[in-house]
Amino acid sequence: MSQKEIAVEMRNIHKIYPDGVVALKGVDFIVKKGEIHGLLGENGAGKTTLMRILYGEIKPTKGEIKIFGERVKFSGPWDAIRKGIGMVYQHFTLVPTFTVKENLFLSLLSINPKATIDEAIEKAKQVSKQTGLRIPFDRVIEELPIGVQQRVEIIKSLIREAKILILDEPTSVLTPVETKDLFEALLKLKQQGITIIFITHKLKEVKEITDHVTVLRRGQVVGTVETSKVTEKDLARMMVEREILFKLEKKPAKPGREVLVVKDLEVYDDRGLPAVKGVTLTVREGEILGLAGVQGNGQKELAEAIAGMRPVASGKIIIDDIDVTQLSAFERYKLGLAYVPDSRKVGLIYDMNIVENVALTNLYRIISKKSRRMKWGVAEKIASEVISKLEVVAPSLSTPIKYLSGGNQQKVMVGREIVREPRAFVVTEPTQGLDVAATEFIRKTLIHLRDEGKAILLISTDLDEILQLSDRIAVIYEGKIMAIGKPEEFTLERLGLLMGGVHA
Ligand SMILES: Nc1ncnc2c1ncn2[C@@H]1O[C@H](COP(=O)(O)OP(=O)(O)O)[C@@H](O)[C@H]1O
Ligand SMILES: [Mg+2]
């Protein structure tokens, strides 16, 4: 292959984030001109990081990049845009209160200060015709469906004459019809010689639209293969294979009666689209049910609905035989439900101290029934219990939570639920971003709680965590449960297929 036929050549790319996270370890990534190249991998594999480097948004710690054979060093996205690279993020970068044409104009202005709005419209009309992507020029962005916003985002790149278009999980926000339209547009762009890098975790999409696919696992390339030469099974295996590093000591579960029951649950996401589509699950006393899946497949909405923080469209949530579907979060907490959200930024108030943060989910124990006042003495006692039980390292109870390390913050967030002795415990990404010691501590704590008879629903995108802790595993994909069963019933390959949307 001559240098000219290669659109992107990234060699030996390393990325260590400022906080020490090693996201990429010596990645080689080569994309041929005019192809659709898939980038596949689990959550945290490094896909977005690699593409942010290609788009000049972050700098590699080490490594070389060539675009159409020319060595480049980008100091920001503008450099990348000038070399013909465009990127469509999972979260868009449009100005929500501007119209479509104003956004396009802004985009064109950034490469040509003399551009006029008419030029922007003219160029966009051409692109629209070539790709079949229709957009309403006079509408305000924030009033448009997400699928249309995405089209504007793509056209925005194309009027800047992008030759290489990066799409980060573009179909995760689209309906099936919108996905079909997008794929048709991508094929048309390919015919015109545009190179497309397509990030996804959906195996069917890789097979359907890509020419080559590169699989990343834990910051390294597992392989680059010709799509027509591999099966979905091959890809699933490449994506998830690993050695199970350390096994946690764990007695066999002794599941008792049903504590948390979710029946035919339907829940909408923030945009009003169905996110949970008829989920049925049962969690018993003394067991951990692990819900595996790639981020953004309805896990967050499911957890919030169970916790009473998001309305239920239909279906039922039952705790200890009581239908709580219409009860407030506060009432559910009183009935013995506990919830750890997927982000500390959501669960904790950073300027508040440890006692206040612990009090947040223990209010029903702390507010005096008579005077309706806070009993701070009680709150302090509960907070001390959290500190000693979870071995939280902190200068004092009155230290603002923001001064604690991530691991200690997480311990507070988990600990304030544990000390309430909940019956049903919904935990989302309990060890996200924690070091090895804190991770092991939290995982052991969950096993201990299960041995005490708590019913635990563990929602995690970390497959190791699911495999280590679960007594039963369920896999969620696009808001539906793909399969549920004992860990022995799942090989890694089968898990990979199910997480990628293929029934196995
Ligand atoms: N801005 C950041 N700061 C620190 N760590 C990050 C940042 N962005 C991503 N990471 C970490 O880098 C790793 C790779 O993440 P990412 O590139 O987003 O993976 P993917 O897109 O494949 O899910 C993960 O461990 C993630 O937590
Ligand atoms: Mg990503």
Side-chain angles (χ1 to χ4, degrees), residues 192-225:
Q192 290 156 33
I194 307 259
T195 306
I196 294 161
I197 301 173
F198 182 82
I199 304 185
T200 188
H201 64 268
K202 299 177 183 175
L203 298 169
K204 270 203 200 81
E205 296 183 346
V206 173
K207 285 297 287 176
E208 190 179 336
I209 192 137
T210 69
D211 301 299
H212 282 90
V213 53
T214 295
V215 183
L216 279 185
R217 194 201 302 148
R218 298 177 173 183
Q220 287 178 309
V221 173
V222 183
T224 297
V225 290

mmCIF file of all heavy atoms in Angstrom, residues 192-225:
data_model
loop_
_atom_site.group_PDB
_atom_site.id
_atom_site.type_symbol
_atom_site.label_atom_id
_atom_site.label_comp_id
_atom_site.label_asym_id
_atom_site.label_seq_id
_atom_site.Cartn_x
_atom_site.Cartn_y
_atom_site.Cartn_z
ATOM 1 N N GLN A 192 -17.872 8.525 -2.032
ATOM 2 C CA GLN A 192 -17.204 9.764 -2.449
ATOM 3 C C GLN A 192 -15.764 9.851 -1.939
ATOM 4 O O GLN A 192 -15.121 10.888 -2.051
ATOM 5 C CB GLN A 192 -17.995 10.965 -1.923
ATOM 6 C CG GLN A 192 -19.333 11.137 -2.631
ATOM 7 C CD GLN A 192 -20.318 11.904 -1.778
ATOM 8 O OE1 GLN A 192 -19.925 12.784 -1.008
ATOM 9 N NE2 GLN A 192 -21.589 11.579 -1.893
ATOM 10 N N GLY A 193 -15.299 8.757 -1.350
ATOM 11 C CA GLY A 193 -13.897 8.716 -0.947
ATOM 12 C C GLY A 193 -13.614 9.204 0.453
ATOM 13 O O GLY A 193 -12.463 9.348 0.858
ATOM 14 N N ILE A 194 -14.666 9.509 1.211
ATOM 15 C CA ILE A 194 -14.465 9.939 2.601
ATOM 16 C C ILE A 194 -14.129 8.720 3.457
ATOM 17 O O ILE A 194 -14.716 7.655 3.288
ATOM 18 C CB ILE A 194 -15.745 10.614 3.157
ATOM 19 C CG1 ILE A 194 -16.204 11.718 2.219
ATOM 20 C CG2 ILE A 194 -15.567 11.049 4.607
ATOM 21 C CD1 ILE A 194 -15.885 13.102 2.588
ATOM 22 N N THR A 195 -13.182 8.894 4.341
ATOM 23 C CA THR A 195 -12.783 7.824 5.248
ATOM 24 C C THR A 195 -13.585 7.961 6.538
ATOM 25 O O THR A 195 -13.717 9.068 7.073
ATOM 26 C CB THR A 195 -11.278 7.955 5.574
ATOM 27 O OG1 THR A 195 -10.563 8.008 4.337
ATOM 28 C CG2 THR A 195 -10.787 6.798 6.423
ATOM 29 N N ILE A 196 -14.119 6.855 7.005
ATOM 30 C CA ILE A 196 -14.961 6.938 8.201
ATOM 31 C C ILE A 196 -14.461 5.998 9.294
ATOM 32 O O ILE A 196 -14.183 4.825 9.040
ATOM 33 C CB ILE A 196 -16.427 6.598 7.848
ATOM 34 C CG1 ILE A 196 -16.978 7.689 6.911
ATOM 35 C CG2 ILE A 196 -17.290 6.475 9.096
ATOM 36 C CD1 ILE A 196 -18.195 7.280 6.143
ATOM 37 N N ILE A 197 -14.328 6.551 10.492
ATOM 38 C CA ILE A 197 -13.991 5.725 11.652
ATOM 39 C C ILE A 197 -15.225 5.664 12.526
ATOM 40 O O ILE A 197 -15.776 6.688 12.931
ATOM 41 C CB ILE A 197 -12.795 6.303 12.436
ATOM 42 C CG1 ILE A 197 -11.575 6.405 11.505
ATOM 43 C CG2 ILE A 197 -12.468 5.416 13.644
ATOM 44 C CD1 ILE A 197 -10.395 7.125 12.134
ATOM 45 N N PHE A 198 -15.662 4.457 12.784
ATOM 46 C CA PHE A 198 -16.968 4.237 13.387
ATOM 47 C C PHE A 198 -16.798 3.467 14.696
ATOM 48 O O PHE A 198 -16.464 2.293 14.710
ATOM 49 C CB PHE A 198 -17.782 3.422 12.369
ATOM 50 C CG PHE A 198 -19.181 3.116 12.751
ATOM 51 C CD1 PHE A 198 -20.185 4.052 12.569
ATOM 52 C CD2 PHE A 198 -19.514 1.879 13.280
ATOM 53 C CE1 PHE A 198 -21.493 3.766 12.909
ATOM 54 C CE2 PHE A 198 -20.824 1.586 13.630
ATOM 55 C CZ PHE A 198 -21.811 2.531 13.433
ATOM 56 N N ILE A 199 -17.005 4.165 15.826
ATOM 57 C CA ILE A 199 -16.871 3.511 17.129
ATOM 58 C C ILE A 199 -18.209 2.882 17.516
ATOM 59 O O ILE A 199 -19.253 3.533 17.404
ATOM 60 C CB ILE A 199 -16.474 4.520 18.231
ATOM 61 C CG1 ILE A 199 -15.191 5.249 17.843
ATOM 62 C CG2 ILE A 199 -16.323 3.823 19.575
ATOM 63 C CD1 ILE A 199 -14.674 6.174 18.929
ATOM 64 N N THR A 200 -18.179 1.662 17.960
ATOM 65 C CA THR A 200 -19.421 1.032 18.396
ATOM 66 C C THR A 200 -19.121 -0.142 19.312
ATOM 67 O O THR A 200 -17.986 -0.613 19.386
ATOM 68 C CB THR A 200 -20.256 0.543 17.194
ATOM 69 O OG1 THR A 200 -21.530 0.106 17.660
ATOM 70 C CG2 THR A 200 -19.568 -0.606 16.466
ATOM 71 N N HIS A 201 -20.145 -0.589 20.024
ATOM 72 C CA HIS A 201 -20.005 -1.856 20.746
ATOM 73 C C HIS A 201 -21.019 -2.851 20.210
ATOM 74 O O HIS A 201 -21.182 -3.932 20.738
ATOM 75 C CB HIS A 201 -20.190 -1.643 22.252
ATOM 76 C CG HIS A 201 -21.562 -1.180 22.617
ATOM 77 N ND1 HIS A 201 -21.901 0.155 22.735
ATOM 78 C CD2 HIS A 201 -22.695 -1.861 22.861
ATOM 79 C CE1 HIS A 201 -23.177 0.251 23.047
ATOM 80 N NE2 HIS A 201 -23.686 -0.948 23.123
ATOM 81 N N LYS A 202 -21.735 -2.447 19.148
ATOM 82 C CA LYS A 202 -22.783 -3.316 18.609
ATOM 83 C C LYS A 202 -22.220 -4.172 17.479
ATOM 84 O O LYS A 202 -21.829 -3.672 16.431
ATOM 85 C CB LYS A 202 -23.956 -2.465 18.129
ATOM 86 C CG LYS A 202 -24.571 -1.667 19.262
ATOM 87 C CD LYS A 202 -25.685 -0.770 18.809
ATOM 88 C CE LYS A 202 -26.192 0.052 19.994
ATOM 89 N NZ LYS A 202 -27.205 1.026 19.592
ATOM 90 N N LEU A 203 -22.190 -5.470 17.717
ATOM 91 C CA LEU A 203 -21.514 -6.384 16.790
ATOM 92 C C LEU A 203 -22.193 -6.417 15.424
ATOM 93 O O LEU A 203 -21.537 -6.490 14.388
ATOM 94 C CB LEU A 203 -21.459 -7.781 17.390
ATOM 95 C CG LEU A 203 -20.668 -7.854 18.707
ATOM 96 C CD1 LEU A 203 -20.870 -9.185 19.397
ATOM 97 C CD2 LEU A 203 -19.189 -7.615 18.445
ATOM 98 N N LYS A 204 -23.509 -6.348 15.423
ATOM 99 C CA LYS A 204 -24.249 -6.368 14.151
ATOM 100 C C LYS A 204 -23.845 -5.196 13.277
ATOM 101 O O LYS A 204 -23.711 -5.326 12.069
ATOM 102 C CB LYS A 204 -25.751 -6.274 14.423
ATOM 103 C CG LYS A 204 -26.409 -7.614 14.583
ATOM 104 C CD LYS A 204 -27.897 -7.506 14.271
ATOM 105 C CE LYS A 204 -28.646 -8.668 14.890
ATOM 106 N NZ LYS A 204 -28.933 -8.503 16.325
ATOM 107 N N GLU A 205 -23.690 -4.040 13.910
ATOM 108 C CA GLU A 205 -23.338 -2.841 13.142
ATOM 109 C C GLU A 205 -21.945 -2.961 12.550
ATOM 110 O O GLU A 205 -21.709 -2.537 11.421
ATOM 111 C CB GLU A 205 -23.422 -1.602 14.043
ATOM 112 C CG GLU A 205 -24.824 -1.360 14.528
ATOM 113 C CD GLU A 205 -24.950 -0.097 15.353
ATOM 114 O OE1 GLU A 205 -23.922 0.466 15.774
ATOM 115 O OE2 GLU A 205 -26.100 0.305 15.577
ATOM 116 N N VAL A 206 -21.045 -3.538 13.305
ATOM 117 C CA VAL A 206 -19.692 -3.740 12.783
ATOM 118 C C VAL A 206 -19.773 -4.585 11.524
ATOM 119 O O VAL A 206 -19.198 -4.259 10.488
ATOM 120 C CB VAL A 206 -18.801 -4.468 13.823
ATOM 121 C CG1 VAL A 206 -17.449 -4.820 13.222
ATOM 122 C CG2 VAL A 206 -18.611 -3.600 15.050
ATOM 123 N N LYS A 207 -20.520 -5.695 11.611
ATOM 124 C CA LYS A 207 -20.642 -6.602 10.466
ATOM 125 C C LYS A 207 -21.330 -5.902 9.298
ATOM 126 O O LYS A 207 -20.995 -6.101 8.142
ATOM 127 C CB LYS A 207 -21.455 -7.842 10.860
ATOM 128 C CG LYS A 207 -20.706 -8.840 11.712
ATOM 129 C CD LYS A 207 -19.504 -9.461 11.017
ATOM 130 C CE LYS A 207 -19.910 -10.481 9.945
ATOM 131 N NZ LYS A 207 -18.706 -10.975 9.229
ATOM 132 N N GLU A 208 -22.316 -5.094 9.620
ATOM 133 C CA GLU A 208 -23.143 -4.504 8.568
ATOM 134 C C GLU A 208 -22.398 -3.429 7.776
ATOM 135 O O GLU A 208 -22.519 -3.367 6.560
ATOM 136 C CB GLU A 208 -24.396 -3.893 9.206
ATOM 137 C CG GLU A 208 -25.432 -3.460 8.184
ATOM 138 C CD GLU A 208 -26.675 -2.882 8.853
ATOM 139 O OE1 GLU A 208 -26.933 -3.220 10.030
ATOM 140 O OE2 GLU A 208 -27.371 -2.093 8.193
ATOM 141 N N ILE A 209 -21.623 -2.625 8.446
ATOM 142 C CA ILE A 209 -21.183 -1.409 7.752
ATOM 143 C C ILE A 209 -19.669 -1.261 7.585
ATOM 144 O O ILE A 209 -19.219 -0.515 6.727
ATOM 145 C CB ILE A 209 -21.777 -0.155 8.443
ATOM 146 C CG1 ILE A 209 -21.574 1.068 7.547
ATOM 147 C CG2 ILE A 209 -21.177 0.077 9.805
ATOM 148 C CD1 ILE A 209 -22.750 1.933 7.465
ATOM 149 N N THR A 210 -18.863 -1.983 8.373
ATOM 150 C CA THR A 210 -17.428 -1.693 8.303
ATOM 151 C C THR A 210 -16.687 -2.604 7.316
ATOM 152 O O THR A 210 -17.132 -3.706 7.000
ATOM 153 C CB THR A 210 -16.751 -1.846 9.689
ATOM 154 O OG1 THR A 210 -16.744 -3.221 10.067
ATOM 155 C CG2 THR A 210 -17.474 -1.046 10.750
ATOM 156 N N ASP A 211 -15.552 -2.096 6.836
ATOM 157 C CA ASP A 211 -14.677 -2.882 5.960
ATOM 158 C C ASP A 211 -13.596 -3.580 6.771
ATOM 159 O O ASP A 211 -13.261 -4.727 6.532
ATOM 160 C CB ASP A 211 -14.031 -1.956 4.924
ATOM 161 C CG ASP A 211 -15.085 -1.259 4.081
ATOM 162 O OD1 ASP A 211 -15.841 -1.961 3.396
ATOM 163 O OD2 ASP A 211 -15.179 -0.011 4.130
ATOM 164 N N HIS A 212 -13.025 -2.840 7.698
ATOM 165 C CA HIS A 212 -12.067 -3.409 8.634
ATOM 166 C C HIS A 212 -12.525 -3.047 10.033
ATOM 167 O O HIS A 212 -13.284 -2.103 10.213
ATOM 168 C CB HIS A 212 -10.656 -2.824 8.425
ATOM 169 C CG HIS A 212 -9.940 -3.402 7.253
ATOM 170 N ND1 HIS A 212 -10.038 -2.861 5.998
ATOM 171 C CD2 HIS A 212 -9.130 -4.480 7.133
ATOM 172 C CE1 HIS A 212 -9.315 -3.582 5.153
ATOM 173 N NE2 HIS A 212 -8.750 -4.570 5.813
ATOM 174 N N VAL A 213 -12.025 -3.794 11.000
ATOM 175 C CA VAL A 213 -12.337 -3.425 12.371
ATOM 176 C C VAL A 213 -11.102 -3.654 13.237
ATOM 177 O O VAL A 213 -10.377 -4.633 13.067
ATOM 178 C CB VAL A 213 -13.579 -4.192 12.906
ATOM 179 C CG1 VAL A 213 -13.427 -5.695 12.715
ATOM 180 C CG2 VAL A 213 -13.835 -3.894 14.374
ATOM 181 N N THR A 214 -10.872 -2.677 14.113
ATOM 182 C CA THR A 214 -9.785 -2.801 15.087
ATOM 183 C C THR A 214 -10.419 -2.986 16.464
ATOM 184 O O THR A 214 -11.329 -2.242 16.830
ATOM 185 C CB THR A 214 -8.893 -1.540 15.077
ATOM 186 O OG1 THR A 214 -8.252 -1.455 13.804
ATOM 187 C CG2 THR A 214 -7.830 -1.598 16.178
ATOM 188 N N VAL A 215 -9.955 -4.002 17.171
ATOM 189 C CA VAL A 215 -10.516 -4.276 18.492
ATOM 190 C C VAL A 215 -9.519 -3.842 19.559
ATOM 191 O O VAL A 215 -8.349 -4.218 19.524
ATOM 192 C CB VAL A 215 -10.846 -5.776 18.658
ATOM 193 C CG1 VAL A 215 -11.505 -6.026 20.009
ATOM 194 C CG2 VAL A 215 -11.739 -6.254 17.528
ATOM 195 N N LEU A 216 -10.003 -3.024 20.472
ATOM 196 C CA LEU A 216 -9.179 -2.561 21.592
ATOM 197 C C LEU A 216 -9.626 -3.278 22.861
ATOM 198 O O LEU A 216 -10.815 -3.509 23.071
ATOM 199 C CB LEU A 216 -9.378 -1.060 21.833
ATOM 200 C CG LEU A 216 -8.647 -0.025 20.989
ATOM 201 C CD1 LEU A 216 -8.958 1.357 21.553
ATOM 202 C CD2 LEU A 216 -7.152 -0.260 20.997
ATOM 203 N N ARG A 217 -8.647 -3.628 23.669
ATOM 204 C CA ARG A 217 -8.969 -4.176 24.990
ATOM 205 C C ARG A 217 -7.959 -3.617 25.983
ATOM 206 O O ARG A 217 -6.759 -3.758 25.789
ATOM 207 C CB ARG A 217 -8.899 -5.697 24.964
ATOM 208 C CG ARG A 217 -9.544 -6.359 26.170
ATOM 209 C CD ARG A 217 -9.040 -7.769 26.375
ATOM 210 N NE ARG A 217 -9.258 -8.619 25.230
ATOM 211 C CZ ARG A 217 -8.435 -9.614 24.890
ATOM 212 N NH1 ARG A 217 -7.347 -9.846 25.590
ATOM 213 N NH2 ARG A 217 -8.690 -10.351 23.835
ATOM 214 N N ARG A 218 -8.462 -2.951 27.010
ATOM 215 C CA ARG A 218 -7.611 -2.389 28.061
ATOM 216 C C ARG A 218 -6.427 -1.594 27.514
ATOM 217 O O ARG A 218 -5.283 -1.801 27.900
ATOM 218 C CB ARG A 218 -7.120 -3.507 28.970
ATOM 219 C CG ARG A 218 -8.285 -4.182 29.646
ATOM 220 C CD ARG A 218 -7.875 -5.325 30.489
ATOM 221 N NE ARG A 218 -9.070 -5.766 31.209
ATOM 222 C CZ ARG A 218 -9.087 -6.731 32.105
ATOM 223 N NH1 ARG A 218 -7.999 -7.348 32.418
ATOM 224 N NH2 ARG A 218 -10.213 -7.054 32.693
ATOM 225 N N GLY A 219 -6.717 -0.739 26.552
ATOM 226 C CA GLY A 219 -5.683 0.158 26.060
ATOM 227 C C GLY A 219 -4.709 -0.447 25.069
ATOM 228 O O GLY A 219 -3.713 0.183 24.725
ATOM 229 N N GLN A 220 -4.994 -1.667 24.626
ATOM 230 C CA GLN A 220 -4.111 -2.278 23.630
ATOM 231 C C GLN A 220 -4.919 -2.830 22.472
ATOM 232 O O GLN A 220 -6.087 -3.183 22.626
ATOM 233 C CB GLN A 220 -3.301 -3.411 24.275
ATOM 234 C CG GLN A 220 -2.220 -2.882 25.196
ATOM 235 C CD GLN A 220 -1.445 -3.990 25.877
ATOM 236 O OE1 GLN A 220 -2.024 -4.887 26.470
ATOM 237 N NE2 GLN A 220 -0.137 -3.907 25.799
ATOM 238 N N VAL A 221 -4.264 -2.915 21.310
ATOM 239 C CA VAL A 221 -4.952 -3.469 20.149
ATOM 240 C C VAL A 221 -4.895 -4.991 20.219
ATOM 241 O O VAL A 221 -3.829 -5.575 20.358
ATOM 242 C CB VAL A 221 -4.288 -2.981 18.845
ATOM 243 C CG1 VAL A 221 -4.897 -3.685 17.644
ATOM 244 C CG2 VAL A 221 -4.447 -1.480 18.714
ATOM 245 N N VAL A 222 -6.063 -5.613 20.143
ATOM 246 C CA VAL A 222 -6.104 -7.074 20.091
ATOM 247 C C VAL A 222 -5.851 -7.515 18.650
ATOM 248 O O VAL A 222 -5.216 -8.528 18.399
ATOM 249 C CB VAL A 222 -7.481 -7.596 20.553
ATOM 250 C CG1 VAL A 222 -7.498 -9.118 20.557
ATOM 251 C CG2 VAL A 222 -7.815 -7.052 21.923
ATOM 252 N N GLY A 223 -6.344 -6.723 17.709
ATOM 253 C CA GLY A 223 -6.108 -7.046 16.312
ATOM 254 C C GLY A 223 -6.890 -6.132 15.392
ATOM 255 O O GLY A 223 -7.857 -5.482 15.823
ATOM 256 N N THR A 224 -6.427 -6.055 14.138
ATOM 257 C CA THR A 224 -7.206 -5.382 13.096
ATOM 258 C C THR A 224 -7.514 -6.441 12.048
ATOM 259 O O THR A 224 -6.606 -7.122 11.578
ATOM 260 C CB THR A 224 -6.412 -4.234 12.470
ATOM 261 O OG1 THR A 224 -6.152 -3.248 13.473
ATOM 262 C CG2 THR A 224 -7.194 -3.572 11.333
ATOM 263 N N VAL A 225 -8.788 -6.609 11.744
ATOM 264 C CA VAL A 225 -9.175 -7.685 10.834
ATOM 265 C C VAL A 225 -10.109 -7.177 9.744
ATOM 266 O O VAL A 225 -10.759 -6.139 9.889
ATOM 267 C CB VAL A 225 -9.892 -8.829 11.596
ATOM 268 C CG1 VAL A 225 -8.919 -9.588 12.482
ATOM 269 C CG2 VAL A 225 -11.053 -8.288 12.421
#
